[in-house]
Amino acid sequence: MALIPKVMSTQHPDNARPAPFADATGVVKGDGEVDEAVDVFGIGCDEQMWDSEGKEADNHVVRKLLTGYSRVFDSLRLGRDVALTLRVPNPSVERNMRKSMVEALQSIPSAWDTATTFYGEEADAPIQEVILPLTTSAWELAMVEAYYRRVIVEQEEHALLGDQIVKDWVGEFYPKELRVIPLVEDLESMLTCDSIVEEYVRGRDLPHQRVFLARSDPALNYGVVTAELVLKVALQRLHRLEERTGLGIYPIIGAGGVPFRGHLTPLNVDRAFTEYPSAHTLTVQSAFKYDYARDDVQRGIAEILAHEKSEPVPVDEARAREVIDRSRAEYQSQVQLLASFISNVAAYVPRRRERRMHVGLFGYGRTLGGGVTLPRAIGFSAALYSIGVPPELLGMAGLSPNDLEFVREVYPSLDGDLRAALRFTNEQRVRELLGEKYVRLVAEFADDIDRVHEGLTSAVWAGLDRGDAAVNVFNYVEEAAQLRHFLG
């Protein structure tokens, strides 16, 4: 039985406090990420995403894990007990990072050789799956699988000199097969993810299929209500696909700690089971791991490990699409107005992990005109919280009472998520930037506002207004994030 992990530790840099593996500037990079992988396996995670998308990934990670931590991995078998799963760039979209995918795939047979040397001939493949972000078609998945099989594995039969072939010289290439996990992020692809997966698995002899559904980028692009509704439709469709084909479908939900990005923390794991009962795997991002007491973190991970997937929350897809269209339009109009503020504040959000520029999905040039550019979801959320305008608010004023009634049926954690988020509101800034209709929403959902956090957001605003030294604004942003237990 292939390992199908339930707790995927990721490298998303949403932590307010520096990780234990960070350098003096608070940034995790290089061998700090290797140390981190060992630690997360030790606290109960059964999977570590190794991200080659948007950052310099160490393609020798398996060698460093097995040789640097041999005592740990003597008993904790890589590939059998715990998984290391590569996230590679999508060559169809992230064209400036295409060769990073090639480099990552080429490292997989070397990882096999290292594991065989360490464990002996009974070693499992230490890397068995890769995640393809921004997936929009079955063709993209098939291309990754075909490249690995035809270019990397089948090169072992290529002739060199005389009657010598590649495998005579450097040995065979294992594993022979590689499973590809689609990471679906845009609206239309999430609404048709079952069709993408069904086309990909047709004719393939697969033990199961994992499907990664994004939660952060849909929120960034379309707002929190749309992100939740789209996710519910996707989960329902994948469940029907599983029933129709008999192939085990194992959804992965990419949830962060802030309500805007999924609201998964060590203290409210039950929220994820309420919203996503058919999910098999949840992501444990950096805020989950580093902004809470370690005992709480381990308890939260244990709760996820104990969960068994069941049937999804039922949703009327036609009604959901109506609400999505209204909520998305209101959200995007508000973001367009706030874009310059967001970009200005995002410059003061602390970096927690070394990354390169990411090719995001948010493109107002395609939808509204004007070419609005935004930071990634974590920086976007952190910037808005830092001025006291939680991003969960945006788009809410476009919903009618009937819409809200429907949303609460499908998204039962709505009120709780809003209350958790709006504790960190600065009412004056909401009034100035969004107007009275949004102030009324704050009054409706905010039981009590954290006045210390409000003061810090006022200090951020004043610092930007007066042109204070950058270090002052940076410190206010970081202190406010630590009060929230997440950066963004």
Side-chain angles (χ1 to χ4, degrees):
M1 179 67 181
L3 172 66
I4 312 175
K6 290 186 174 183
V7 185
M8 178 191 285
S9 166
T10 77
Q11 297 170 329
H12 290 82
D14 62 342
N15 49 309
R17 298 182 185 279
F21 321 99
D23 64 14
T25 67
V27 177
V28 178
K29 56 186 174 182
D31 285 346
E33 293 188 327
V34 177
D35 297 336
E36 177 184 40
V38 178
D39 183 72
V40 299
F41 290 145
I43 60 175
C45 298
D46 53 359
E47 183 171 25
Q48 174 66 47
M49 177 197 288
W50 199 253
D51 197 349
S52 297
E53 187 208 16
K55 57 189 285 295
E56 299 291 348
D58 189 336
N59 290 323
H60 300 288
V61 56
V62 170
R63 177 178 58 79
K64 290 185 176 183
L65 289 173
L66 296 183
T67 59
Y69 297 91
S70 57
R71 289 186 179 180
V72 172
F73 292 102
D74 271 336
S75 55
L76 194 67
R77 299 292 294 263
L78 196 57
R80 183 180 304 177
D81 302 319
V82 294
L84 188 73
T85 303
L86 303 186
R87 175 162 126 167
V88 300
N90 186 331
S92 300
V93 181
E94 301 163 296
R95 300 185 67 81
N96 63 326
M97 292 186 279
R98 288 178 291 180
K99 301 301 189 298
S100 295
M101 184 208 71
V102 172
E103 293 167 1
L105 296 185
Q106 287 175 335
S107 73
I108 293 173
S110 296
W112 171 284
D113 290 346
T114 299
T116 302
T117 300
F118 186 80
Y119 292 120
E121 291 302 320
E122 74 280 6
D124 297 273
I127 299 172
Q128 301 171 9
E129 297 180 304
V130 299
I131 298 164
L132 185 70
L134 304 165
T135 295
T136 60
S137 70
W139 178 86
E140 294 169 315
L141 303 172
M143 285 291 284
V144 174
E145 186 271 333
Y147 184 92
Y148 179 77
R149 178 169 40 84
R150 296 182 181 180
V151 177
I152 295 177
V153 174
E154 291 181 9
Q155 69 177 304
E156 65 186 24
E157 300 295 341
H158 290 183
L160 291 174
L161 296 175
D163 61 355
Q164 295 294 298
I165 59 176
V166 169
K167 69 179 178 182
D168 295 332
W169 188 40
V170 299
E172 291 192 57
F173 287 72
Y174 292 99
K176 300 298 186 186
E177 303 290 338
L178 183 68
R179 297 191 298 275
V180 186
I181 302 169
L183 170 49
V184 189
E185 304 180 54
D186 71 284
L187 177 66
E188 296 304 329
S189 297
M190 290 187 76
L191 291 175
T192 58
C193 63
D194 56 329
S195 299
I196 294 171
V197 174
E198 185 169 21
E199 182 181 346
Y200 175 66
V201 303
R202 187 180 298 124
R204 285 183 163 81
D205 183 19
L206 298 172
H208 61 268
Q209 180 65 49
R210 302 175 77 194
V211 182
F212 200 151
L213 300 173
R215 177 59 178 73
S216 293
D217 276 346
L220 169 66
N221 295 329
Y222 319 118
V224 69
V225 168
T226 293
E228 283 290 337
L229 294 184
V230 167
L231 202 50
K232 301 302 168 50
V233 172
L235 288 167
Q236 179 169 271
R237 290 191 166 206
L238 291 174
H239 181 71
R240 289 172 180 168
L241 175 64
E242 182 177 54
E243 291 183 322
R244 187 166 66 249
T245 63
L247 178 68
I249 304 293
Y250 293 89
I252 305 164
I253 305 298
V258 56
F260 186 67
R261 297 180 49 248
H263 207 188
L264 178 62
T265 79
L267 306 182
N268 73 335
V269 171
D270 283 347
R271 186 261 183 209
F273 301 153
T274 298
E275 296 296 335
Y276 324 122
S278 64
H280 180 81
T281 306
L282 299 176
T283 61
V284 168
Q285 301 183 6
S286 298
F288 188 114
K289 292 178 287 189
Y290 308 129
D291 287 333
Y292 294 86
R294 194 170 176 88
D295 287 347
D296 290 333
V297 172
Q298 290 181 283
R299 275 193 293 272
I301 290 170
E303 288 181 56
I304 300 171
L305 289 171
H307 174 70
E308 297 295 335
K309 76 185 187 83
S310 58
E311 294 194 358
V313 174
V315 54
D316 179 335
E317 295 183 14
R319 180 77 173 98
R321 189 59 194 251
E322 293 174 2
V323 176
I324 284 169
D325 289 344
R326 280 192 287 278
S327 176
R328 177 177 60 167
E330 170 70 12
Y331 170 82
Q332 291 183 338
S333 69
Q334 293 300 319
V335 171
Q336 190 173 39
L337 293 174
L338 296 176
S340 61
F341 295 103
I342 294 167
S343 296
N344 289 341
V345 182
Y348 298 96
V349 174
R351 295 172 65 239
R352 292 298 186 224
R353 200 172 294 267
E354 198 167 53
R355 306 189 81 137
R356 291 181 292 183
M357 182 62 69
H358 175 66
V359 180
L361 294 172
F362 201 106
Y364 280 109
R366 293 195 306 273
T367 57
L368 298 178
V372 173
T373 301
L374 294 173
R376 293 188 65 164
I378 293 169
F380 172 88
S381 178
L384 284 170
Y385 267 99
S386 297
I387 58 174
V389 184
E392 293 81 357
L393 265 178
L394 305 181
M396 292 298 300
L399 300 178
S400 69
N402 286 339
D403 290 339
L404 281 170
E405 182 179 353
F406 169 76
V407 172
R408 286 187 173 101
E409 291 174 3
V410 180
Y411 174 15
S413 301
L414 172 66
D415 288 9
D417 285 355
L418 288 175
R419 287 192 177 92
L422 299 188
R423 286 189 60 232
F424 303 112
T425 300
N426 185 315
E427 291 177 274
Q428 181 180 349
R429 302 307 162 198
V430 170
R431 179 174 285 105
E432 291 174 359
L433 295 174
L434 301 179
E436 289 299 327
K437 62 182 179 179
Y438 278 96
V439 174
R440 288 193 292 272
L441 279 171
V442 172
E444 180 179 350
F445 290 103
D447 292 335
D448 62 298
I449 291 176
D450 186 318
R451 297 303 176 186
V452 176
H453 187 279
E454 183 181 42
L456 289 166
T457 62
S458 293
V460 168
W461 193 274
L464 293 171
D465 221 22
R466 294 194 306 265
D468 281 359
V471 67
N472 291 334
V473 175
F474 178 93
N475 289 340
Y476 299 145
V477 169
E478 186 171 42
E479 189 175 346
Q482 291 177 0
L483 282 176
R484 299 190 301 266
H485 296 282
F486 56 79
L487 189 61

